[in-house]
Amino acid sequence: MNDFIKSTAEFIQAADDFIWGLPMLVLLLGVGIFLTVNLKLLQVFHLPNAIKLLFTPHKEHHSKKGDVTSFAALCTALAATIGTGNIVGVATAVGIGGPGALFWMFVAAFFGMATKYAECLLAVKFREQDSRGHFVGGPMFYIRNGIGSSHPKTAKILAVMFAVFGIVAGCMGIGTYTQINSVVEAANQLSFDRLYVTIIITILTIIITYGGLRTISKTAQKVVPFMGIIYIITCVLVILLNLEKIPESLYLIISSAFAPTQAIGGFAGATIMMAMQKGVARGIFSNEAGLGSAPIAAASAKTNSPVEQGLISMTGTFIDTIIICMLTGLTLVITGAWTSDKTGVAMTTLAFQGALGNEIGLYVVNICLILFAFTTIIGWNFYAERCVIFLFGVKGIRPFKILYILLVASYILIVLFVDMNNVAENTAINAIWTIADIANGLMAFPNLVALFMLRKVIFEETRKFFSGKKGCSELQN
């Protein structure tokens, strides 16, 4: 049995290496760089405007089209993006790719901000209303409505590809098993039984997801700011307690991005390509820029301006990766935890414990991880559901919800299987994360192609908005 699992894991890893190889890295960074140049460093010069829009209350929301406020839409997107990638994913990237992975994670996030702006702009411009009167959108809709008139066959293929891969990612990748695994393992670190925790997570998932978008967004609005602020404060505290090590750590991160990292302690060593691949892949896993997931939430926002929503959504990548992931990574390097034989959440816990003490470090990391991962579960339920609506209409919602809940509950079988067969747990966990990476990569391809094909729409809407002219806010159906 273990031989079968080992060979399967090797096959999955080979598929991941192919999908996240040089072509995908070039495509992701290439589109981000292309958009950054043509939008004239919008993520730098208009970030203050974006943050101002984020925290400016709009009393006229009732007169705008949409289902939830722009802030609620962003919180829903952040609920899905601020997850295990910020704690486990960063530790995994550094554990395999070395400190240099953090540099490439930052680079991917910087250019990813332009990508996130562009895809969320398109989501609002080309969104539709379903048969219930709810606003739906995302890559599958802006592919069909934006590209369909000039390239109908290409649009149909790309839109269906994205919707199918989005469902796979939600059900088998980033939305379920990786998050549940992290919740269960974090709870286990706090001495809770893994089986009971999985049952509780399943029950909570049923309650929140059956409440629909408004319940999900209300939950996100309450939990996301709280968990983000607590985690950021704790990371900053760890860094302040190791201030003298900051220059050395920053030098190590930058130098390791352009030179092989030698083996040290529990770290096996890494090539430049490993650092780049893990940094970009885990960065995209965390902030989802280019994947096309955040536009699905953005399409529900109460706004008449695609550009304004694009700017607000862009802050999601800034918050998720440039702030939270970078703080996690710096704590790992500055405390030396990256050279230990620990992996994933255990590595991050070690970094916090070294600075804050065993009890405080253990509880802060694992409680934050539980909150991060659970909000991602409910956020990706929403994303995948919208993909189902695109393919099958609203009649597909109920069967999908049942399937999603069954998949969440099925993690019980994984827990029992690993325990009963003495399977090397790291092998099983790594396979789960690799499958999630594969699903993400498959989603990114049709979305990035669509962004390039719709580049003129992005640039024209942006030009009209910043020149004071009112662009066409939404597709007239």
Side-chain angles (χ1 to χ4, degrees):
M1 180 62 71
N2 281 345
D3 289 340
F4 172 75
I5 292 175
K6 184 178 179 181
S7 61
T8 302
E10 290 173 351
F11 173 79
I12 293 172
Q13 185 60 55
D16 182 52
D17 291 340
F18 173 76
I19 292 172
W20 283 102
L22 190 59
M24 178 58 76
L25 298 182
V26 170
L27 184 60
L28 275 166
L29 293 177
V31 170
I33 293 170
F34 174 77
L35 291 171
T36 296
V37 171
N38 283 276
L39 291 171
K40 300 176 183 178
L41 289 173
L42 175 138
Q43 67 266 54
V44 175
F45 296 113
H46 291 288
L47 180 60
N49 291 336
I51 295 173
K52 183 179 178 181
L53 284 169
L54 177 61
F55 292 105
T56 300
H58 291 285
K59 296 180 181 179
E60 69 276 15
H61 273 314
H62 65 277
S63 65
K64 294 184 176 182
K65 298 178 181 179
D67 297 319
V68 296
T69 65
S70 294
F71 180 72
L74 176 65
C75 283
T76 302
L78 284 174
T81 55
I82 299 180
T84 55
N86 299 84
I87 298 177
V88 182
V90 174
T92 302
V94 175
I96 299 176
L102 295 174
F103 174 85
W104 294 111
M105 191 179 292
F106 178 90
V107 169
F110 176 77
F111 293 115
M113 288 177 69
T115 306
K116 183 71 71 73
Y117 163 81
E119 58 189 2
C120 291
L121 179 157
L122 292 174
V124 174
K125 181 171 177 61
F126 292 107
R127 64 185 178 180
E128 300 177 0
Q129 283 183 283
D130 62 23
S131 60
R132 303 168 300 171
H134 294 167
F135 281 84
V136 291
M140 55 282 194
F141 288 96
Y142 58 69
I143 289 172
R144 182 174 68 186
N145 297 332
I147 301 173
S149 58
S150 56
H151 301 86
K153 290 185 179 179
T154 301
K156 184 176 181 179
I157 292 172
L158 290 176
V160 171
M161 281 176 63
F162 179 87
V164 170
F165 294 150
I167 295 171
V168 172
C171 292
M172 300 299 295
I174 192 172
T176 52
Y177 292 138
T178 54
Q179 311 303 329
I180 304 165
N181 170 258
S182 295
V183 171
V184 170
E185 292 309 308
N188 190 48
Q189 289 289 317
L190 301 176
S191 301
F192 292 106
D193 187 274
R194 302 198 305 175
L195 185 60
Y196 294 146
V197 169
T198 308
I199 293 172
I200 292 171
I201 290 297
T202 303
I203 293 171
L204 291 175
T205 302
I206 292 171
I207 294 171
I208 295 174
T209 58
Y210 265 87
L213 172 60
R214 283 184 171 82
T215 303
I216 292 173
S217 65
K218 285 180 181 178
T219 303
Q221 280 182 274
K222 290 180 174 65
V223 177
V224 169
F226 170 77
M227 70 185 190
I229 290 170
I230 292 298
Y231 188 73
I232 289 170
I233 290 173
T234 308
C235 284
V236 170
L237 181 58
V238 172
I239 293 168
L240 289 176
L241 291 172
N242 294 273
L243 268 179
E244 72 283 357
K245 299 179 182 177
I246 289 181
E248 177 187 353
S249 298
L250 292 176
Y251 174 78
L252 180 61
I253 290 170
I254 295 171
S255 62
S256 298
F258 301 98
T261 307
Q262 301 300 316
I264 178 173
F267 179 69
T271 63
I272 298 175
M273 188 61 190
M274 286 171 66
M276 182 182 293
Q277 183 188 35
K278 293 303 175 183
V280 173
R282 291 301 178 202
I284 296 301
F285 182 93
S286 176
N287 63 55
E288 299 173 14
L291 262 66
S293 53
I296 299 174
S300 300
K302 287 183 178 180
T303 181
N304 293 331
S305 172
V307 171
E308 282 193 4
Q309 189 57 42
L311 289 171
I312 291 171
S313 297
M314 179 181 76
T315 63
T317 299
F318 179 78
I319 294 168
D320 178 273
T321 305
I322 294 181
I323 294 181
I324 297 180
C325 283
M326 289 301 105
L327 285 174
T328 300
L330 191 54
T331 60
L332 295 175
V333 176
I334 209 169
T335 60
W338 72 281
T339 63
S340 70
D341 58 356
K342 303 293 185 181
T343 60
V345 66
M347 183 191 294
T348 309
T349 301
L350 179 65
F352 278 65
Q353 286 178 322
L356 304 176
N358 289 343
E359 288 297 317
I360 295 176
L362 178 68
Y363 277 91
V364 169
V365 172
N366 286 284
I367 289 174
C368 284
L369 181 57
I370 290 170
L371 292 173
F372 283 14
F374 179 67
T375 56
T376 301
I377 293 171
I378 61 175
W380 267 90
N381 169 270
F382 171 71
Y383 288 161
E385 180 185 294
R386 287 300 196 256
C387 292
V388 168
I389 290 174
F390 178 82
L391 293 175
F392 307 108
V394 296
K395 65 179 181 294
I397 294 177
R398 185 177 294 274
F400 166 73
K401 286 186 183 293
I402 295 172
L403 172 63
Y404 196 84
I405 290 165
L406 287 175
L407 286 169
V408 172
S410 71
Y411 192 79
I412 295 171
L413 301 178
I414 294 179
V415 171
L416 296 175
F417 179 79
V418 169
D419 290 342
M420 289 170 56
N421 292 276
N422 297 315
V423 175
E425 200 153 348
N426 280 341
T427 301
I429 293 170
N430 288 337
I432 288 170
W433 276 90
T434 305
I435 290 171
D437 275 346
I438 291 171
N440 285 354
L442 293 174
M443 282 180 67
F445 176 74
N447 183 52
L448 292 171
V449 171
L451 290 179
F452 183 76
M453 294 181 72
L454 292 169
R455 62 193 182 280
K456 292 182 179 179
V457 177
I458 298 166
F459 302 150
E460 182 64 14
E461 283 291 319
T462 304
R463 184 191 66 78
K464 286 180 180 179
F465 180 85
F466 288 111
S467 64
K469 296 178 182 179
K470 188 176 180 181
C472 176
S473 63
E474 293 186 55
L475 180 70
Q476 300 298 315
N477 292 314

